[in-house]
């Protein structure tokens, strides 16, 4: 979803191939040995296998809303994204699927995700958006995971003392871009007509 957000905001016309992870098509394995999603295959055959790389690829081509940080803010923005990916996301998986991790309940991963969310709340008391004064790379990279976390137990998330974070998430979910990237597509099948998305 973070990759789709950047591709959509930068209006990169893409052929979208929706993948069901339990039925990965051979073409995904051929493009990427890692075979995680998302994968982007550029017109020159270059393959990008990390969602953040896809975001940067798209925004470096066209960045009409100036999502890419100014050089002086780059380290800060990348620091938040790295914390999200390295610290928060693994705990989010444990929080979402406790039985897969042989946890008796959600309490322990909940405490872990709450620490990061509380830091985001604090950040959002200092700046309007995670990226600074306007929505940008950090917001788009982190927003989808905060959303997953919030929807795992909506009542718990709503009951936390995080008004800035709750409003930030609500604004994201109400945005036009969110509606665009949430459009559902049927799983891709070989030979089907191209599904073009994010055209200017
Ligand atoms: N760091 C990678 C993570 C990619 C990833 O793990 N994607 C998940 C879905 S969100 C996946 O493809 N899981 C299926 C699998 O690993 O087989 C990125 O951000 O692109």
């Amino acid at each position: 979803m973070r990759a789709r957000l950047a591709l959509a905001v930068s209006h990169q016309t893409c052929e979208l191939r929706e993948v069901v992870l339990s039925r990965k098509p051979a073409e995904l394995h051929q493009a990427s040995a890692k075979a995680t999603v998302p994968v982007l295959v550029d017109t020159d055959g270059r393959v990008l296998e990390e969602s953040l790389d896809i975001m940067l690829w798209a925004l470096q081509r066209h960045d009409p809303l100036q999502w890419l940080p100014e050089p002086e803010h780059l380290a800060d923005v990348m620091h938040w994204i790295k914390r999200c990916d390295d610290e928060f996301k693994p705990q989010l998986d444990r929080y979402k699927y406790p039985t897969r991790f042989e946890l008796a309940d959600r309490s322990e991963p909940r405490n872990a995700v709450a620490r990061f969310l509380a830091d985001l709340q604090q950040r959002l008391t200092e700046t309007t958006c995670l990226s600074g004064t306007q929505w940008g790379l950090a917001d788009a990279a982190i927003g989808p995971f905060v959303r997953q976390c919030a929807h795992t137990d909506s009542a718990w998330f709503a009951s936390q003392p995080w008004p800035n974070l709750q409003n930030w998430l609500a604004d994201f979910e109400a945005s036009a871009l969110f509606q665009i990237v949430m459009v559902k597509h049927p799983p891709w099948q070989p030979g089907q007509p191209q599904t073009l998305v994010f055209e200017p």
Side-chain angles (χ1 to χ4, degrees):
M1 194 178 167
R2 59 160 56 161
R4 287 185 193 192
L5 286 167
L7 291 164
V9 82
S10 65
H11 297 296
Q12 299 303 309
T13 303
C14 299
E15 180 192 351
L16 187 134
R17 295 184 174 187
E18 187 70 41
V19 167
V20 177
L21 291 174
S22 55
R23 287 186 282 122
K24 293 179 185 174
E27 286 78 356
L28 175 64
H29 292 282
Q30 283 155 16
S32 160
K34 182 160 87 88
T36 58
V37 298
V39 169
L40 184 134
V41 182
D42 200 350
T43 47
D44 63 5
R46 186 171 154 222
V47 177
L48 303 182
E49 305 176 290
E50 287 290 327
S51 54
L52 187 57
D53 290 341
I54 296 171
M55 295 184 84
L56 294 171
W57 174 90
L59 295 169
Q60 280 158 6
R61 291 164 75 101
H62 188 47
D63 186 17
L65 299 188
Q66 294 168 323
W67 277 20
L68 286 177
E70 296 294 331
E72 65 268 30
H73 296 134
L74 181 62
D76 196 32
V77 162
M78 295 313 282
H79 168 76
W80 281 105
I81 297 173
K82 190 165 165 41
R83 275 196 67 193
C84 172
D85 291 8
D86 295 353
E87 185 184 316
F88 176 64
K89 175 65 169 56
Q91 295 298 337
L92 173 60
D93 289 340
R94 299 174 79 242
Y95 177 54
K96 277 168 66 182
Y97 310 112
T99 50
R100 278 191 207 170
F101 294 89
E102 297 176 5
L103 297 168
D105 60 36
R106 292 200 157 101
S107 53
E108 182 243 325
R110 168 171 292 166
N111 290 337
V113 296
R115 283 193 286 277
F116 182 67
L117 296 176
D119 287 350
L120 295 183
Q121 160 63 24
Q122 176 59 33
R123 165 82 174 174
L124 291 169
T125 63
E126 296 157 7
T127 58
T128 319
C129 296
L130 297 177
S131 303
T133 52
Q134 56 170 21
W135 184 272
L137 184 66
D139 302 271
I142 295 171
F145 296 116
V146 174
R147 179 171 180 274
Q148 282 181 27
C149 192
H151 287 270
T152 302
D153 182 345
S154 308
W156 173 77
F157 184 79
S159 71
Q160 298 308 300
W162 302 328
N164 301 64
L165 184 64
Q166 286 147 351
N167 289 336
W168 170 87
L169 180 61
D171 287 349
F172 171 43
E173 292 182 331
S175 69
L177 204 57
F178 178 82
Q179 310 305 323
I180 291 169
V181 301
M182 289 304 281
V183 170
K184 294 273 175 284
H185 297 273
W188 177 78
Q189 294 188 331
Q192 76 170 48
Q194 285 189 335
T195 303
L196 295 181
V197 290
F198 313 137
E199 293 154 296

